[in-house]
Amino acid sequence: MRLVWNELTPNDRYLVRTVRPISFAEMGFATHLYLPLIGIDSYSLYQLLIHEVQEASGASAESTHRGLLLMTSLTLDRLLAARERLEAMGLLEVRRRENRQRDYIFEYTLKPPMSPKQFFSEDIWPVMLLNQVGKTKFEQIKRRYADALAYALEEEYPYEENLTKPFYEVYHTLSASELDVRPGTETDRFLHQMEERYPAAAMDGSYVAQTPEQFSLSSLRLNLPKELNPADIFTKENIEFFYKLMHFYQIDSWMLGVELGDWTLFKHGQLDPSALRKRLMQKYVNKEQSAPPAQDADLTAGTVPDPSSPSFSRVCRRYSPLLLLEQVVGGRINKTFVERAEALVFTDGLTTEVANALLLHTMRSTQMELPKAYVETIRDSWKAQQITTVEAAVKVLQERTEAQAKAVEQAKQPARRETAVGTGNRRTKAIPQDKLPASVQRQLQREQESAEGSESAQTKKTVKDVPEINALLQSLRNRERGG
């Protein structure tokens, strides 16, 4: 049984502040979208805390929890449960501050609810709302926050021009002397004095409502089979594995906790990681779960940024491999692509950003394909070089590109071998000869010598065979005889 008094007592002090002013319209969001999910106790507590903060200045108020109990007519355990539901839905952030005297105070930071567009983009909350209010009321809520005119306007008038004037065009008459406040002047001292006396409340006008923390061990533990020991499941290795799974498939703790409720994923009281991975992959392939659509100007369908560009490193750090491939392909990816990407992270042990760099380079080099042999070759090379960051991967890719460009340039300019012929400056190109085996060269030499011998034998002639020369030879012999 939970001991509430160990966590909260009526005499515990608290103070309330808000991250930014909460508008009347946002209170309507809380009423129609959040009230059915958090209940009337949490909704009343949220309203009460909002009105304890001074709306104009945002100044915080201090009180004890006894006042909350009296104002809401709740018991201490119901008050704590109501507060925790607000925390779970991202409407309240709770901190406990302690001083040197060991006195502590609770700090409650109120946050605005999500806009209807954000709310209905979630995976779980719209389904919870539908189950709570039914189809008829759900349709009424959707119709209430729909803007059909805006979509009709975009279709009918697709071309637009922004005519908004910037500050410097409107206040062009301001001179530098009017805005220059030099240190030590009367104006400077007055501004500092006002800042010290009346410090502005710590509110952020640009704050946008966000989904509660993605990773929560309590959500994972909630649906765990009762016969299992949580200490055996939530080990350091498994927690790291859970975080990688949630990042890869872009799911939250609640969705992963639902999967952990299946006892077939466990063997002998231990989690089977391969079975959980197979389950999530199959759900993605069967379109039972989908990652939120990514939108990035540097990563559009059919295009891959160059590794030398700053956008390449940025998208590698920002996206999970699954979202990255969806963005490049332009939609859901097939099972083969999921297996290639998942193996790089969970089997090969590459960091997410290095796996993204490998996937982008492969898609860029193979015309939007992921050949297994090509991926494994680069993977083995990068693992041997102990590449763990996208910067190191980009460096290797740039060196590879430079080497390929140099090889192509050398292939366009083949080496020229020149040899001198005769005297002077006349040269002729040497004709490359294929080198034959020694036995073949000897056989060719013998055939050539035999052919030359037979040719000389056939063409060999004597002096008598030529009449003119024979007559000249006879006349010379007669002269020698004196005839």
Side-chain angles (χ1 to χ4, degrees):
M1 184 176 180
R2 184 176 184 180
L3 299 177
V4 179
W5 286 76
N6 291 340
E7 303 179 46
L8 186 67
T9 66
N11 292 328
D12 288 339
R13 296 180 301 143
Y14 73 91
L15 61 85
V16 188
R17 64 184 183 88
T18 181
V19 68
R20 68 164 173 81
I22 299 176
S23 67
F24 180 78
E26 288 173 326
M27 289 309 304
F29 302 160
T31 302
H32 293 99
L33 304 179
Y34 286 78
L35 175 57
L37 305 183
I38 62 179
I40 191 62
D41 291 350
S42 298
Y43 180 77
S44 300
L45 178 60
Y46 186 63
Q47 290 272 11
L48 178 60
L49 293 177
I50 286 177
H51 290 91
E52 285 196 1
V53 180
Q54 296 183 21
E55 183 178 354
S57 63
S60 55
E62 181 181 344
S63 184
T64 64
H65 287 83
R66 187 180 302 277
L68 290 179
L69 295 174
L70 295 174
M71 292 289 291
T72 58
S73 299
L74 298 175
T75 59
L76 190 62
D77 57 340
R78 289 179 60 187
L79 178 67
L80 183 59
R83 192 194 77 182
E84 290 178 344
R85 284 193 291 269
L86 292 177
E87 299 169 23
M89 297 298 291
L91 298 175
L92 182 66
E93 186 175 302
V94 180
R95 287 186 174 87
R96 193 174 77 167
R97 295 183 177 275
E98 191 171 347
N99 59 17
R100 295 180 178 84
Q101 287 74 36
R102 310 293 295 179
D103 295 329
Y104 58 85
I105 185 173
F106 288 90
E107 182 183 19
Y108 294 155
T109 303
L110 295 168
K111 296 183 177 181
M114 287 186 175
S115 67
K117 181 177 179 60
Q118 291 176 299
F119 185 91
F120 289 111
S121 297
E122 293 293 315
D123 294 321
I124 301 174
W125 295 357
V127 180
M128 292 175 60
L129 182 62
L130 174 61
N131 295 335
Q132 188 68 26
V133 302
K135 293 183 178 180
T136 302
K137 186 61 179 179
F138 186 86
E139 183 179 356
Q140 292 176 357
I141 296 174
K142 287 286 290 182
R143 187 187 306 117
R144 179 186 184 90
Y145 293 111
D147 188 2
L149 181 60
Y151 294 103
L153 187 68
E154 291 181 359
E155 292 183 1
E156 188 174 356
Y157 301 93
Y159 308 105
E160 64 178 43
E161 180 183 1
N162 192 345
L163 303 178
T164 308
K165 292 185 178 297
F167 176 84
Y168 65 86
E169 287 188 9
V170 178
Y171 293 93
H172 55 83
T173 59
L174 287 175
S175 61
S177 60
E178 295 181 75
L179 305 176
D180 185 19
V181 180
R182 298 186 179 183
T185 61
E186 181 180 355
T187 302
D188 180 63
R189 292 194 301 269
F190 176 78
L191 292 176
H192 278 83
Q193 186 180 11
M194 292 297 100
E195 185 65 27
E196 292 175 358
R197 287 185 182 180
Y198 313 108
M203 294 192 297
D204 183 9
S206 62
Y207 177 82
V208 178
Q210 299 175 351
T211 307
E213 183 181 2
Q214 189 182 39
F215 188 80
S216 171
L217 281 178
S218 60
S219 299
L220 298 178
R221 191 191 302 262
L222 184 63
N223 295 317
L224 201 66
K226 303 299 182 183
E227 61 271 14
L228 297 177
N229 183 8
D232 296 335
I233 305 302
F234 298 107
T235 61
K236 181 180 179 181
E237 293 77 12
N238 283 346
I239 290 177
E240 182 179 355
F241 172 67
F242 293 152
Y243 186 81
K244 286 184 177 180
L245 274 179
M246 292 166 58
H247 178 68
F248 186 89
Y249 287 102
Q250 293 294 292
I251 59 177
D252 56 21
S253 301
W254 174 263
M255 299 176 66
L256 182 60
V258 172
E259 298 299 332
L260 292 178
D262 187 356
W263 61 270
T264 59
L265 299 177
F266 303 89
K267 294 182 180 179
H268 308 293
Q270 299 293 331
L271 175 69
D272 185 0
S274 60
L276 181 56
R277 284 173 50 194
K278 185 177 180 180
R279 171 75 60 82
L280 293 177
M281 181 189 298
Q282 195 63 38
K283 283 203 167 188
Y284 175 83
V285 173
N286 294 340
K287 299 182 180 180
E288 297 179 22
Q289 73 176 35
S290 60
Q295 296 181 353
D296 198 312
D298 298 325
L299 198 63
T300 56
T303 61
V304 178
D306 187 86
S308 60
S309 64
S311 60
F312 184 90
S313 300
R314 188 181 63 80
V315 296
C316 287
R317 295 192 192 94
R318 178 179 179 183
Y319 292 114
S320 75
L322 190 67
L323 271 181
L324 182 118
L325 290 177
E326 283 188 344
Q327 187 78 348
V328 173
V329 173
R332 299 183 67 88
I333 58 177
N334 56 39
K335 185 177 181 180
T336 302
F337 276 33
V338 179
E339 290 176 344
R340 298 274 196 277
E342 195 191 49
L344 293 175
V345 177
F346 295 97
T347 304
D348 303 326
L350 298 182
T351 61
T352 300
E353 59 186 53
V354 173
N356 285 340
L358 194 156
L359 292 172
L360 286 180
H361 169 68
T362 304
M363 298 282 283
R364 182 182 177 88
S365 304
T366 60
Q367 297 181 348
M368 298 301 170
E369 295 293 338
L370 287 179
K372 183 178 181 181
Y374 191 91
V375 172
E376 291 178 349
T377 300
I378 301 178
R379 175 206 64 191
D380 295 340
S381 174
W382 287 10
K383 290 183 69 174
Q385 299 178 63
Q386 298 181 349
I387 295 177
T388 58
T389 63
V390 66
E391 288 81 7
V394 168
K395 183 179 179 181
V396 171
L397 292 177
Q398 290 177 341
E399 293 175 352
R400 176 187 177 93
T401 302
E402 293 174 358
Q404 290 177 344
K406 187 176 180 180
V408 171
E409 186 66 23
Q410 291 178 351
K412 292 181 179 179
Q413 298 178 357
R416 295 182 177 180
R417 298 179 180 179
E418 296 181 353
T419 180
V421 178
T423 59
N425 295 327
R426 297 181 60 189
R427 295 179 180 272
T428 182
K429 295 182 180 179
I431 301 176
Q433 299 288 343
D434 293 333
K435 188 175 182 181
L436 300 175
S439 59
V440 177
Q441 290 181 353
R442 288 194 298 270
Q443 179 66 22
L444 292 175
Q445 185 176 3
R446 286 196 296 268
E447 292 178 357
Q448 184 177 3
E449 291 176 353
S450 175
E452 290 177 352
S454 60
E455 183 179 356
S456 60
Q458 294 176 0
T459 58
K460 187 176 180 181
K461 297 181 180 180
T462 61
V463 175
K464 295 180 180 181
D465 296 330
V466 182
E468 294 81 0
I469 298 177
N470 186 29
L472 180 59
L473 180 59
Q474 290 296 333
S475 64
L476 290 175
R477 288 178 177 174
N478 292 335
R479 289 180 184 178
E480 290 177 355
R481 295 174 182 173

